[in-house]
């Protein structure tokens, strides 16, 4: 057991110092909280896998202060990478690029590519500027749990296991970064996130969407983002996603209520479920709010011992909806009812 420090945003210099010394520090980004370590220190990176209980074959992404650091760690960088950086960095976009030998094997799980991201959060930016190191950082949850969007959620998973948690308030985006693989033609979306597929297309032209984004991978299949094969974001009670016109999906869920059923729905329909264990995703039309609230909703149900099944309304998959529905569908193991 480690005595985990609770740090405030103003303590970013202390967090940077701990990271440079090889310690693990959880810090806020605009997407979700990350569990950081010096990405050039194989022992520190190995400690991330231990603290999360993360499978060894699941690579980590490196966080850098800006696009001028890309060439330190990546080879054969296409012009498109700098085009994307100009438009979306700092921000919720991770690019997969060919790696240079300086990146330790433990970071990339032996792949010859590496994920690179420049986050947009004042605390993350200050830490990266002070360290001048690539910080390896997966989401700061125990493997298999929803990603943490508050310092409190990090604390629940990581207290006693890491040196410090920096509290920078709730995350503005709420789902993890978009991952695009630039080592293939056409570029391929491996994970939808805060930068939408439509926005990527404005810079890149046609973008392929990896199968793992939209359907359950069967055992034996190998998605290109190794992490996409795991049943992430899984609350203890099984989730059923109900897809269709919101008024109809709300009515469907209503007709399936019984003791032990929990509901995830849009704010517009809360009144239909009096007395039910319920989390609202926010207004039907507000995808940003739905993205911000989804992981906290899933985590909340893990604390509800009497909930044995969860029904969830689902937004459409356009824009940020692709990321929201991807996380929701994965939480449900792609158990989806289409109305
Ligand atoms: O928003 C985010 O990206 C957050 C914050 C903390 O920056 N980080 C994050 O990291 O979500 P993580 O480790 O939870 O998810 C990274 C995903 C995993 O699914 C992993 O398999 C994939 O990226 N990945 C990492 N390196 C890769 C590579 N070289 N090729 C393909 N996929 C890769
Ligand atoms: Mg993660």
């Amino acid at each position: 057991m480690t005595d985990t420090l609770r740090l405030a945003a103003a303590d970013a210099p202390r967090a940077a110092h701990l990271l440079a010394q090889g310690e693990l520090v959880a810090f806020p980004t605009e997407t979700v909280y990350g569990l950081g370590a010096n990405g050039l220190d194989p022992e520190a990176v190995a400690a991330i896998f231990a603290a999360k209980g993360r499978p060894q074959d699941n690579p980590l992404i490196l966080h850098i202060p800006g696009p001028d650091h890309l060439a330190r760690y990546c080879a054969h960088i296409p012009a498109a990478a700098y085009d994307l950086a100009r438009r979306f960095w700092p921000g919720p976009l991770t690019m997969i690029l060919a790696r240079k030998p300086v990146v330790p094997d433990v970071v990339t799980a032996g792949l010859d590519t590496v994920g690179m991201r420049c986050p947009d959060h004042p605390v993350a930016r200050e830490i990266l500027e002070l360290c001048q190191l690539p910080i390896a950082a997966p989401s700061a949850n125990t493997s298999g749990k929803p990603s943490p969007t508050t310092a409190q959620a990090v604390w629940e998973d990581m207290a006693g296991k890491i040196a410090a948690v920096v509290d920078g308030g709730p995350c503005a985006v709420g789902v993890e970064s978009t991952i695009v693989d630039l080592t293939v033609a056409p570029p391929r979306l491996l994970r939808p996130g805060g930068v939408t597929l439509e926005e990527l297309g404005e810079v890149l032209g046609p973008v392929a969407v990896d199968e793992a984004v939209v359907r359950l991978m069967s055992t034996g299949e190998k998605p290109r983002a190794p992490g996409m094969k795991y049943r992430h974001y899984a609350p203890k009670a099984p989730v059923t996603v109900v897809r269709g016109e919101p008024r109809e999906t709300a009515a469907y869920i209503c007709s399936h209520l019984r003791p032990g059923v929990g509901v995830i729905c849009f704010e517009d329909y809360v009144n239909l479920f009096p007395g039910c264990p319920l989390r609202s995703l926010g207004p039907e039309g507000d995808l940003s709010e739905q993205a911000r609230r989804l992981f906290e909703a899933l985590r909340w149900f893990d604390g509800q011992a009497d909930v044995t099944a969860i029904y969830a309304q689902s937004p459409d998959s356009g824009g940020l909806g692709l990321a929201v529905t991807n996380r929701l569908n994965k939480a449900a193991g792609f158990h989806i009812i289409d109305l």
Side-chain angles (χ1 to χ4, degrees), residues 64-266:
I64 53 174
D68 50 321
H69 282 229
L70 273 179
R72 298 184 184 189
Y73 314 111
C74 302
H76 320 298
I77 304 170
Y82 292 104
D83 294 340
L84 286 174
R86 219 171 292 120
R87 167 96 187 256
F88 300 114
W89 277 7
L93 177 67
T94 298
M95 306 182 212
I96 305 295
L97 294 162
R99 71 150 156 163
K100 281 187 171 168
V102 64
V103 179
D105 279 340
V106 60
V107 170
T108 67
L111 297 177
D112 52 12
T113 56
V114 61
M116 303 299 300
R117 162 155 143 79
C118 174
D120 184 17
H121 187 289
V123 171
R125 289 178 64 69
E126 189 177 350
I127 289 173
L128 292 170
E129 282 296 344
L130 290 170
C131 283
Q132 292 290 309
L133 288 167
I135 299 298
S139 49
N141 51 289
T142 300
S143 228
K145 293 238 284 180
S147 297
T149 54
T150 63
Q152 182 53 35
V154 177
W155 192 261
E156 285 160 17
D157 285 9
M158 292 298 153
K161 297 181 179 170
I162 64 175
V165 179
V166 188
D167 190 342
C171 298
V173 177
V175 292
E176 307 88 339
S177 62
T178 302
I179 303 180
V180 64
D181 186 350
L182 296 181
T183 68
V184 293
R188 179 176 285 258
L189 179 73
L190 303 187
R191 180 175 74 181
V195 170
T196 66
L197 179 61
E198 294 85 345
E199 287 172 323
L200 284 180
E202 287 167 19
V203 176
L204 296 173
V207 176
V209 177
D210 201 65
E211 285 281 277
V213 171
V214 286
R215 69 173 177 85
L216 187 64
M217 301 302 275
S218 51
T219 37
E221 276 185 293
K222 254 188 141 185
R224 292 172 205 234
M228 293 293 274
K229 75 169 172 268
Y230 297 104
R231 184 172 173 245
H232 269 182
Y233 325 119
K236 288 174 192 145
V239 179
T240 302
V241 172
V242 191
R243 213 154 55 177
E245 271 300 310
R247 236 176 309 137
E248 287 172 26
T249 57
Y252 178 94
I253 295 171
C254 252
S255 69
H256 286 73
L257 292 180
R258 53 186 156 77
V261 166
V263 176
I264 295 177
C265 70
F266 302 126

Side-chain angles (χ1 to χ4, degrees), residues 284-306:
E284 188 181 315
D286 189 345
L287 285 166
S288 301
E289 189 63 17
Q290 293 162 28
R292 270 192 293 275
R293 289 198 196 183
L294 180 61
F295 286 148
E296 274 302 293
L298 294 171
R299 274 184 178 261
W300 183 82
F301 276 108
D302 277 344
Q304 308 299 307
D306 47 340

